Amino acid sequence: MPLSPQTRAARVRVGKGDKPVTYEKAHAPHYIAHRKGWLSLHTGNLDGEPGAAERAVEDAFLRRFLYGTFPGVLADEPVLKRRANLLVVCAVLARGLAPAKLYFLVGYAETLLARFYKCPVRLELQTLPAKVPYKYL
Amino acid sequence: MAARRLGGSSWQQVVSLSRRCCLPGGRRERYRCSSSSTALGKTVDNSEVTQEEIVLPRRKTWGKLAVLQTLASTVNKDPTAAHYMFQDDPFLMPRNAANSRLFSLSKESGRNAAKYIIKQFPQYFDKTFAEPNIPCLMPETFTPQIEGVSEEALKERIHLRRVKDSVDLFDQLVQAGTTVSLETTNSLLDLLCFYGDGESTPEKEKEEEDLEEPGVNASEQKAPKRQFQRGSQSSGSRWRENNNAERIFKIMPERNAHSYCTMIRGMVKHGASAKAYDMYIDLLNERHKADVHTFNALITAVPYLKERFLERWELAKVFLNHMAQQEVQPNLLTFNALLKTLRRCGGVGRSMSLLAIKEMEALDIEPSLATYDHLLFIFYRGADLCPSGIISEVLDDVEKRSFTPQDPDDANFFGTAMQVCCDLKDIKLAYQLNKAMEKGDNWKFLDMDRLNAYWSKFFSLLCMMEQIDVVLKWYKEMSPSHFYPTPKNILDLLQALDAANHLEAIPSVWEDMKQLGFNRRQDLLQELLSLMSREQHPEEIQLAFAKCAEDIKAVYEQSVREQALLEWTGSALGHVALLFSRAGRTQDAWNMMERFQQINRIPTDQVMEEFLNCAKQTNCPDEAIKLVKLAAALGLPSSQRLKSRTEKEFELSEKQKKTLESIKSDSDSSDSDSDSDSDRE
């Protein structure tokens, strides 16, 4: 069914054309499963599975935590994958910090999150020269 | 939709893209492979090929075992990947030993920072919602619970390793008149002797976590023994005169054997060996029996008590006899301590160590790696060496078993053994040692630093002894996954390439050098340049060499802000000019020649000749004339010869002939000085 023209959820409004926007941000939520994947993968939303709300709260905390721990170098939204007890955080970073500093932050984040959520946490990083713009809006 | 985005028209593009898009969680997977080219790059190539016509590829037939073979090839170690602890990304992968150490240490310090935060704010981390509860992920409590002055409180503080608090509490108890039981006083003495009167730091507390057991006495009994061995190498604190331990010892109303033993072990650990010996005499006078750990400590202290070799051995024998008299069974650590003492006994050590080994076998004690390490040291690393075949026997023993760590000195075995193989220049022993290392759990004895040193020595031995293709095969496999080559390894590799006449691999070695961060080392650069410029090589190799030379020139000229500018040496300049000339790059070669005056050096005749050859081939008579002018200006004896060569071999215009003539008068007037310093400094 067609969407109302007043919807504002998760959309970047068209501007002058100088604002670079990543692929993730450029697409509105109705493109999920068509042009976008999911940013958080867990079994909580399957039929009869518990814990969907807890996972949602954990996701919100994790995204804020990562946004603060890697200030300015996070090039795109991190993807959270849960496999049994393990929480895998896949983040794409820009090369703004020296590798030694990035490893410090990785060790810090992994240990702190593991103690906080009582489950093993693994951080898998990929670095890019800069944020990749998909469009300019 | 994808085809629309790219504007490509070929159906092959669409097929390849849609195949990629069908992966689950697709989008992310495409970004993930950093090593292969991006999706965009690949399709651009495809479009260039298929623009004119669509070529249907032939149907591939696979053998029956193809899938299994492919799967099997993924199971082995990936030779291009760094250690598992590093992230798999080209920016975050360490390229040399210093970087790998730095990254692993920074990761560890990040962990420590997180642990510090958790210790400061345990209230945010102590909700137990995991089923079952995971104790290692909960914050630890370090504050003592029992308040007040009582023996229970003292026991708790000892258990939490709070040295200063325990001592204060003990003094308070004594002043209040309450008698503290012997057991508690002994455990207090254990604590004090272990820490040598310093405070236990949080790092030390972390090490002991896995050793903590419910009973206080039992834990004190076991914990100091294992940590004593480790701590004796790392203890920075020295035993002060009349410190807390001694004071408490003196005011104890009654002492038992345990008290004496603890004091002896503490004194040996913190360097007061003479006092330990006196304390032992006191123990004998009181007719107590010492335990095996005390005897181990005393045997370790022997080199500090006596100077001459024979006296040391006699004292050790005294201790061993006492052990037999007091019916104390020796254990593995006794013999290891004995061998460690024999290391410092020179020739006496050599003869006696074999007797010690025979005793061990008679008592049915399995030797550990530390035993073998001490043996190898005694026989191969002493001052006066006599040949012995003990290393092959040792290796035969080692490769049969998988060892467990029983002594902190176990970790040194592989390094010492590889050093001995290198000294003996025996590659077969080294291969045998490698096999021993790969058996069972033996590889766990090598941590990152030791691993690097081990493989580095192995590679040097390989370069010396093996054929070049074997060397190159090992080199491809081992770096960067197993180890990072040291500068010495690179020099050895260059020499091996030279010996095998395989100099065309030099440009790739230069690439590796740049990656490892060795591109500013004078010795390596000199070696590289001299090898490249020694002989004439076929055309494309010469061009590759010239490119290398250009890189090296850039290295010399660039001044990176932290490092000082590299000074040109005469030979380096000459080699670079030579390489440029041989590749036919006249202009670059001339730039090099001009620099000779700047650094006050003189080019060799060979360089000048080559330059002239190059100028002749590329038909630049101007350059030739400039060369003759330079030679005359520097007052070289060869300038005449160069002039005549130029006249004969080049077709000169009238103007050029006149300039050439005018140079002649300059060189005649200046006396060619025979003591002009050549560029070989």
Side-chain angles (χ1 to χ4, degrees):
Chain A
M1 64 177 228
L3 290 167
S4 152
Q6 279 124 23
T7 45
R8 309 225 17 124
R11 286 164 178 76
V12 181
R13 294 286 151 180
V14 167
K16 280 236 177 60
D18 55 353
K19 191 167 50 184
V21 147
T22 55
Y23 186 90
E24 170 70 40
K25 280 215 171 72
H27 288 84
H30 64 268
Y31 285 122
I32 292 178
H34 298 267
R35 300 184 190 175
K36 277 165 84 158
W38 281 265
L39 288 180
S40 161
L41 298 164
H42 58 93
T43 57
N45 286 322
L46 297 177
D47 182 32
E49 295 287 338
E54 285 87 349
R55 303 292 96 75
V57 171
E58 284 169 15
D59 286 359
F61 175 83
L62 282 167
R63 284 174 203 286
R64 278 175 195 254
F65 180 84
L66 290 167
Y67 182 72
T69 316
F70 294 94
V73 294
L74 215 47
D76 209 344
E77 290 287 326
V79 171
L80 309 173
K81 304 183 187 178
R82 287 182 180 78
R83 291 176 200 146
N85 198 20
L86 172 66
L87 172 56
V88 181
V89 177
C90 310
V92 184
L93 305 181
R95 291 174 186 164
L97 288 174
K101 297 192 177 168
L102 283 177
Y103 274 107
F104 175 87
L105 292 174
V106 164
Y108 165 76
E110 282 187 353
T111 322
L112 200 85
L113 290 173
R115 306 262 159 153
F116 191 60
Y117 282 125
K118 313 284 184 246
C119 66
V121 174
R122 201 162 71 198
L123 214 60
E124 285 176 10
L125 300 182
Q126 186 192 348
T127 55
L128 293 176
K131 265 187 173 179
V132 181
Y134 168 67
K135 261 185 175 174
Y136 289 90
L137 292 180
Chain B
M1 104 202 114
R4 227 188 314 138
R5 178 151 66 88
L6 289 176
S9 52
S10 161
W11 65 270
Q12 251 185 341
Q13 275 172 267
V14 174
V15 165
S16 59
L17 270 178
S18 66
R19 213 176 284 139
R20 257 183 265 278
C21 289
C22 284
L23 290 169
R27 198 163 54 85
R28 288 289 150 184
E29 306 296 320
R30 248 198 300 171
Y31 289 153
R32 303 293 299 159
C33 18
S34 51
S35 49
S36 55
S37 52
T38 59
L40 238 38
K42 272 213 168 113
T43 45
V44 168
D45 281 336
N46 278 343
S47 70
E48 281 169 11
V49 167
T50 58
Q51 211 65 304
E52 296 82 29
E53 52 168 86
I54 297 173
V55 178
L56 294 174
R58 290 192 152 272
R59 185 198 174 87
K60 271 188 177 168
T61 50
W62 297 101
K64 289 205 175 73
L65 295 177
V67 175
L68 288 176
Q69 281 168 351
T70 322
L71 286 174
S73 72
T74 59
V75 165
N76 300 325
K77 197 167 160 45
D78 178 10
T80 54
H83 195 273
Y84 181 69
M85 70 171 107
F86 300 119
Q87 301 278 345
D88 185 17
D89 182 77
F91 181 67
L92 294 174
M93 201 171 87
R95 304 284 178 186
N96 50 32
N99 269 357
S100 86
R101 196 152 187 274
L102 176 68
F103 294 166
S104 54
L105 285 176
S106 41
K107 193 164 182 181
E108 189 62 36
S109 73
R111 289 199 195 113
N112 288 342
K115 285 182 188 151
Y116 173 76
I117 300 277
I118 295 166
K119 213 166 78 154
Q120 294 293 106
F121 304 103
Q123 64 269 28
Y124 301 126
F125 295 92
D126 57 7
K127 269 173 100 173
T128 54
F129 53 84
E131 287 170 29
N133 191 23
I134 307 170
C136 70
L137 291 178
M138 304 295 287
E140 302 111 1
T141 44
F142 286 125
T143 50
Q145 309 290 19
I146 311 176
E147 296 299 324
V149 179
S150 72
E151 194 164 324
E152 295 302 320
L154 178 60
K155 275 207 211 146
E156 197 193 1
R157 277 161 184 73
I158 295 175
H159 185 76
L160 290 172
R161 308 282 196 274
R162 297 168 88 87
V163 175
K164 196 166 170 321
D165 291 343
S166 328
V167 171
D168 291 340
L169 199 53
F170 181 82
D171 288 335
Q172 283 178 3
L173 279 172
V174 163
Q175 276 174 357
T178 41
T179 46
V180 190
S181 71
L182 185 57
E183 283 178 21
T184 322
T185 327
N186 273 345
S187 53
L188 178 59
L189 273 183
D190 286 340
L191 185 70
L192 286 172
C193 291
F194 178 75
Y195 286 112
D197 222 26
E199 186 63 47
S200 77
T201 54
E203 280 80 44
K204 284 216 177 99
E205 286 185 271
K206 282 295 166 299
E207 283 176 358
E208 289 130 41
E209 263 172 330
D210 48 336
L211 298 173
E212 244 163 63
E213 274 141 31
V216 174
N217 269 348
S219 72
E220 297 310 293
Q221 202 80 340
K222 235 171 132 208
K225 165 209 163 203
R226 256 181 276 161
Q227 282 141 4
F228 153 73
Q229 307 283 1
R230 240 189 295 161
S232 55
Q233 277 116 16
S234 63
S235 63
S237 52
R238 299 276 108 185
W239 190 264
R240 286 197 318 268
E241 267 297 328
N242 206 16
N243 58 11
N244 284 325
E246 285 192 17
R247 182 171 58 87
I248 293 178
F249 187 74
K250 286 193 185 114
I251 67 177
M252 271 169 84
E254 45 164 310
R255 313 181 186 114
N256 66 357
H258 183 96
S259 329
Y260 283 99
C261 291
T262 312
M263 291 297 288
I264 293 175
R265 287 163 72 185
M267 286 174 184
V268 169
K269 176 178 172 181
H270 296 285
S273 314
K275 281 201 182 161
Y277 190 65
D278 295 336
M279 184 71 65
Y280 179 66
I281 303 293
D282 289 341
L283 178 143
L284 288 179
N285 289 344
E286 299 277 332
R287 298 191 203 294
H288 288 304
K289 283 193 203 285
D291 64 352
V292 65
H293 313 297
T294 320
F295 277 114
N296 292 349
L298 285 168
I299 296 178
T300 331
V302 162
Y304 301 100
L305 290 172
K306 300 278 181 202
E307 286 298 325
R308 314 255 316 279
F309 294 160
L310 217 46
E311 287 175 16
R312 286 176 179 170
W313 169 239
E314 292 301 321
L315 185 57
K317 261 206 303 202
V318 161
F319 285 134
L320 290 171
N321 284 335
H322 284 194
M323 256 177 111
Q325 277 167 12
Q326 296 179 20
E327 288 166 11
V328 178
Q329 274 286 39
N331 63 4
L332 170 68
L333 294 169
T334 320
F335 285 102
N336 282 349
L338 183 62
L339 284 172
K340 203 165 173 183
T341 310
L342 286 175
R343 263 163 93 132
R344 310 193 33 188
C345 287
V348 173
R350 269 190 273 277
S351 23
M352 296 304 154
S353 53
L354 293 175
L355 293 179
I357 301 289
K358 293 270 181 346
E359 267 301 310
M360 266 176 95
E361 284 175 28
L363 284 169
D364 230 351
I365 301 180
E366 285 269 11
S368 76
L369 283 181
T371 324
Y372 294 122
D373 177 47
H374 294 315
L375 263 184
L376 286 180
F377 190 91
I378 291 173
F379 278 93
Y380 289 100
R381 304 296 302 274
D384 45 329
L385 288 177
C386 32
S388 72
I390 211 166
I391 177 139
S392 6
E393 290 176 29
V394 164
L395 283 179
D396 288 335
D397 275 342
V398 167
E399 70 177 355
K400 289 196 202 105
R401 278 171 58 193
S402 163
F403 287 86
T404 51
Q406 284 155 309
D407 182 318
D409 291 328
D410 286 345
N412 297 333
F413 169 72
F414 283 104
T416 319
M418 186 50 85
Q419 185 65 46
V420 170
C421 290
C422 285
D423 291 338
L424 295 176
K425 296 207 181 5
D426 192 336
I427 191 81
K428 294 223 174 353
L429 284 178
Y431 283 139
Q432 201 182 5
L433 185 62
N434 267 351
K435 254 182 46 199
M437 190 190 70
E438 282 160 17
K439 184 174 174 72
D441 283 341
N442 291 348
W443 57 272
K444 293 183 184 169
F445 284 100
L446 287 168
D447 66 340
M448 292 214 63
D449 291 334
R450 291 198 173 94
L451 201 63
N452 220 33
Y454 175 87
W455 285 112
S456 178
K457 288 189 208 136
F458 178 70
F459 188 70
S460 298
L461 187 62
L462 267 181
C463 286
M464 262 198 291
M465 305 293 296
E466 282 278 10
Q467 298 289 333
I468 189 69
D469 40 354
V470 175
V471 170
L472 285 177
K473 185 172 86 75
W474 275 100
Y475 183 67
K476 290 267 173 329
E477 271 178 22
M478 292 207 305
S479 65
S481 56
H482 272 124
F483 85 118
Y484 297 99
T486 57
K488 183 173 177 313
N489 286 137
I490 299 285
L491 273 176
D492 289 337
L493 179 64
L494 286 174
Q495 276 170 8
L497 286 173
D498 188 19
N501 225 358
H502 202 73
L503 291 174
E504 55 267 15
I506 288 194
S508 67
V509 175
W510 169 243
E511 291 297 315
D512 287 340
M513 266 171 69
K514 278 200 287 197
Q515 219 183 50
L516 290 167
F518 293 154
N519 52 347
R520 294 188 73 87
R521 292 188 64 112
Q522 275 283 28
D523 45 355
L524 288 180
L525 290 176
Q526 295 280 53
E527 182 74 21
L528 208 61
L529 284 173
S530 57
L531 279 179
M532 282 200 286
S533 55
R534 222 175 39 195
E535 295 139 7
Q536 187 83 2
H537 287 278
E539 188 61 43
E540 64 282 323
I541 302 182
Q542 212 60 55
L543 286 173
F545 283 2
K547 246 187 81 43
C548 257
E550 192 178 332
D551 271 344
I552 298 182
K553 174 176 106 123
V555 164
Y556 270 107
E557 292 192 347
Q558 221 173 39
S559 67
V560 187
R561 26 177 212 290
E562 307 99 26
Q563 297 148 359
L565 192 57
L566 268 188
E567 293 290 332
W568 277 110
T569 59
S571 55
L573 208 51
H575 291 319
V576 175
L578 205 69
L579 288 168
F580 278 145
S581 315
R582 285 208 187 126
R585 293 158 69 152
T586 328
Q587 198 51 41
D588 296 324
W590 177 244
N591 289 340
M592 293 291 108
M593 301 299 287
E594 281 176 336
R595 276 174 231 259
F596 270 105
Q597 270 185 317
Q598 284 170 5
I599 62 165
N600 278 336
R601 296 265 180 269
I602 297 196
T604 53
D605 290 345
Q606 192 198 13
V607 172
M608 316 266 265
E609 297 287 330
E610 280 291 339
F611 184 77
L612 218 54
N613 289 343
C614 169
K616 188 169 77 158
Q617 269 179 344
T618 53
N619 222 358
C620 312
D622 289 328
E623 306 293 331
I625 296 181
K626 281 199 247 176
L627 180 70
V628 178
K629 239 196 262 184
L630 177 66
L634 291 174
L636 291 177
S638 52
S639 58
Q640 266 295 60
R641 197 166 32 92
L642 288 171
K643 195 160 110 42
S644 44
R645 253 196 81 181
T646 320
E647 276 173 355
K648 279 198 216 95
E649 298 175 12
F650 284 78
E651 307 167 359
L652 299 168
S653 67
E654 278 306 316
K655 213 166 77 95
Q656 288 168 336
K657 280 206 186 116
K658 245 192 269 184
T659 10
L660 204 52
E661 287 295 324
S662 64
I663 302 177
K664 183 171 188 171
S665 45
D666 283 351
S667 71
D668 279 343
S669 59
S670 67
D671 275 323
S672 60
D673 30 358
S674 49
D675 57 341
S676 60
D677 49 80
S678 95
D679 64 338
R680 304 230 159 262
E681 59 264 9

